[in-house]
Structure formats: C-alpha cells, structure tokens
Amino acid sequence: MPLQEQDHILIEKYLLQQLTAVDQSIFDQRLNDPDFQKELELQKDLMVALRAEGRSQLKDQLQNIEQRIQREEDVQVTTPQHQFRIARIMAIAASVALILAAIYFFSNQKKSGGQIFAQHFEPYPNIVAPLNKSNPETGNREKAFHAYELKNYEEAIQLLNGLPKSDTTHFYIGLANLSLNQPQKAIDFFDKIKKKDSPFYIPMNWYKALTLINSEKANDAKPLILFVKENAKTPGMLNKANLLLDDLD
Amino acid sequence: MSKEYAEIPDDQQLLQALQSKESKALEQLYLSYRKPFIAFARRYQANEEDVLDAYQDAVIAFFENVQTGKLNKLSSTIKTYLFSIGKYKLINKLKQNGSKSLIDYTSDIEAPQANFIDDKLELSHRQKTLKAAINELGNTCRELLLLFYYKQYSIEAIQIEMGFKNENTVKANKSRCMKNLKSIIQKKDIL
C-alpha cells in the first residue's frame, strides 16, 4: 500500500530515536509492508550519508580553527626566547612593543580592502523563497527572490521595490546593490534595518562591514565585525568573523 | 597567549552550552583540551598532524554524542572522554601507519565505551551516491537537512539559526528540500 504522511512521520521518529511505545508497535506492524521497508532502508542510508557530510563539515570547521591558532602561534614565536630577569612589567612592555612592531611590519604588506573583500565575500543565500526549478512559482515575491538567486540583480531590485517594505526587502536590495558595486546604495538600504531582533540584523552588519572594507574604510568596518563576532549564532559565522579580523590586523 | 584558550571552562557549563546548541561551544570545547592533549600525546611519538587529526576526530565524536542525546550526563570529566577517544583514534592511526613504537602501549588500547565511539564511516555505494546528492542541493537545503537530521536541532532552533520567518516556513522548506533531494536521487537510479 502506498505510503501515507503518517508513515513518513513514523520513519522520521524512528531515525531520531523518538518512537513512543505506541509508535513502536505501529512501526513494527508497518515493517510487513515492503514499500514501508524500502523507504525505511533509503532513509537509513540517507541518515548515514548526512552524518558523513556533517562530519566533514565539522572537520573543516575545526581545521579552520586550527589554522587560526597556528597563525597566532607563529606571531608569538617572534617573542625573544631568553630575556634577563627584568621586572614583569618590563617584559609585558617589551611584548607589547614587539607586537606593535609586528603589526607595523605586517601592515606594510597589508592587502587592499578590495582584495580582502574578494576573499571574504560570499553571496547571502535566498532563504525566503528557494528556487524550485521543477515547480516554478509565479508570485511577485517568488519572482523577486528567484531573480536574486539567479544573480539578475537589477531585475531583483526592481521587483523587490514593488513588494511591501520590510527588513527582508531592505536587506536583499542592499545585497543586490552590493553585488552591482553600488556601495553607498547598499549601505543606505542596510541602514534601514534598525531592529536588533530582526533575523537580518547580524547578517546585515556583516555585509555592511564587507561593503565598507571594499571601499577602503576598514576602520569603520571593525566595530561591526566585532559585533558579529560577539553575537554570532553559528560557529561558522564566528570563524568567518575571526578570519576577517585577522586579515584586517 | 590569548585568553580564550588559557581558561578551561567548567565541564557542566560546557556540556550545557553544547546541549543548547550555542554557537561558540564547539570552538570552546576544541580549545579547552587541545594543548593538554598535544602534551599527553607526546608519549606516542606521533607527528603533530596525526595528533591533531585524532584530537579533532575525538572532539567530533564527543560533539555528536551530545547532539544526539547519547550522552546527556557526564559520568567522568570531559577531559577523560576526549583523551580516551583521542588516544584510541591516535593508536589506531599509528597502527595503520605501521608505527613500531606502539608495542609499549598496547595495554592502552581499550575502547572508551562500546557504543560511544563511532569509527570511521565506511559508506556503501548507495550511501556515497546519496552523499553526492546532498552536495547537489542548494546551500539552504543542505544546511537545513543537516541541522535537522545530523545535529538534531528542533524546528524552533532551526528557525532561529537560519533566520526563517516562523516554524511553519521551516517545516515547508524541510519537506520541499526533501522532495528536491528525492528528485536528485531518482535521477541517479539507486532506489
């Protein structure tokens, strides 16, 4: 018999180990159905595949953290190994001087804002109305976000402007302008997002910071990146903020 | 040395941070015992790359066990868990590389806890194809499915994490992503 919505829920609960005693007995009965069994086997394999994918992502994340630590340690190696017994305060002063010297040294070889931007910029995904090629939707909202996803930024801006104004439209119009190399317009739209509890507030700060860096205004960008770092919702975001700060220093 | 990895947070705090899916928890966990593990592993005369690789796998195994609820109460310190998994992974790695210095340490090879350690996933052909299909999904779908099935986030936690409008949008997107994935799989002819 073809699978029902209920069967999918049952399989999902099984995979997440959330079956109740009642669920379990229904589950056991359903195992007699070859279609149910087939779907269960597929979902089990899918769980393994997702675990493998999840693990490789975590591994990448830890390796990024590791690279950052190694870079920090490399800087520390420049501290002299043997010093005379001088007052602790003098040692600290010396380290500070060394770090300042290191910063001075590295700042002479600093990358341009444009280079840093190119290295750190990734387009923000369309999380509002993901494109579904097999089932295209025709509402203006969908059209606007699909244009954005397909990188038709001019069309996206035009369509987004036709939608009711919200933090969502402000954010994506800002992003589209950023991609069209219109930094001032991008910042104007980012600045319209004022509510700190908006889901776009943290991403907006990130992209505003990148816009400023691309315009060689790294000093204005730093407080925004620090804000993102302090409020990062994912380890990935935190790591990105740390890497960007490293590049600016 | 920067402050963040000089201080080792309290085990309970760290466990709670991991359980409540706090973004900095994984990094905190990693940094907390990284140096002690490197020092501990010196006795095995392994190169640093292998040591770090084993430690990273240990952190991932511990993280997974907390995320999936297999481990919800500590019966020993986090350090003990990480070191026993890390040691197990490192010794296995050295064995694979045919290291001779191992003989002295064979008594150290007791698996941490039978069901606690999850060795390298050996994927079947179909599982490999499924993994490739997951990679063909858009970023949003991939992240959503990973959060739900791998990290076992609740719908509400996903809404907050990914900035969706409400829980219904998350559910609608989840079933749409699953549909997308199935249509990719169908083309691969492994059903």
Side-chain angles (χ1 to χ4, degrees), chain A residues 8 12 15-18 38-39 41-59 61-63 65-66 68-70 72-73 76 122 124-132 134 137 141 199-200 229-236 238-239 242, chain B residues 1-2 4-5 21-24 26-27 30-31 34-35 48 52-54 56-57 59-60 63-64 68 118-121 123-124 126-127 130-131 134-135 139-140 142-143 145-146 148-152 160-165 169 173-174 176 178 180-182 185 191:
Chain A
H8 291 289
E12 187 173 290
L15 295 171
L16 298 174
Q17 294 173 332
Q18 293 168 350
K38 199 175 158 201
E39 178 66 18
E41 287 311 313
L42 172 69
Q43 295 282 345
K44 274 193 201 166
D45 277 344
L46 193 57
M47 275 297 267
V48 178
L50 279 164
R51 197 181 318 146
E53 175 62 26
R55 274 188 194 174
S56 23
Q57 282 193 6
L58 286 181
K59 189 86 182 175
Q61 216 174 312
L62 293 180
Q63 280 169 347
I65 296 173
E66 190 53 49
R68 204 187 74 223
I69 298 172
Q70 309 249 347
E72 281 173 18
E73 284 176 351
Q76 282 162 23
E122 281 169 36
Y124 190 79
N126 156 22
I127 61 168
V128 178
L131 188 57
N132 185 348
S134 58
E137 282 153 296
R141 189 177 168 80
F200 296 113
K229 182 181 164 178
E230 291 307 311
N231 295 283
K233 289 240 161 55
T234 61
L238 176 68
N239 196 38
N242 278 325
Chain B
M1 187 162 71
S2 86
E4 56 181 335
Y5 52 100
K21 326 277 187 199
E22 275 177 31
S23 59
K24 293 179 190 172
L26 178 73
E27 178 163 356
Y30 184 76
L31 295 174
R34 177 184 169 273
K35 281 204 163 175
E48 187 171 289
L52 288 172
D53 198 37
Q56 286 165 2
D57 288 346
V59 168
I60 292 172
F63 180 82
E64 269 184 13
T68 54
D118 197 357
D119 262 319
K120 244 192 179 134
L121 292 170
L123 301 189
S124 67
R126 183 157 94 156
Q127 288 162 347
L130 287 170
K131 188 169 178 253
I134 294 164
N135 276 306
N139 287 341
T140 312
R142 190 169 54 243
E143 193 185 343
L145 294 181
L146 280 171
F148 188 77
Y149 289 102
Y150 176 62
K151 295 193 177 168
Q152 307 203 352
I160 298 168
E161 172 90 15
M162 295 185 67
F164 281 110
K165 214 164 74 190
T169 326
N173 273 291
K174 178 175 153 271
R176 178 154 40 181
M178 211 52 187
N180 285 355
L181 182 60
K182 283 217 167 152
I185 296 171
L191 288 180

Side-chain angles (χ1 to χ4, degrees), chain A residues 1 11 71 101 219:
Chain A
M1 124 180 168
I11 291 177
R71 276 209 300 257
N219 283 338

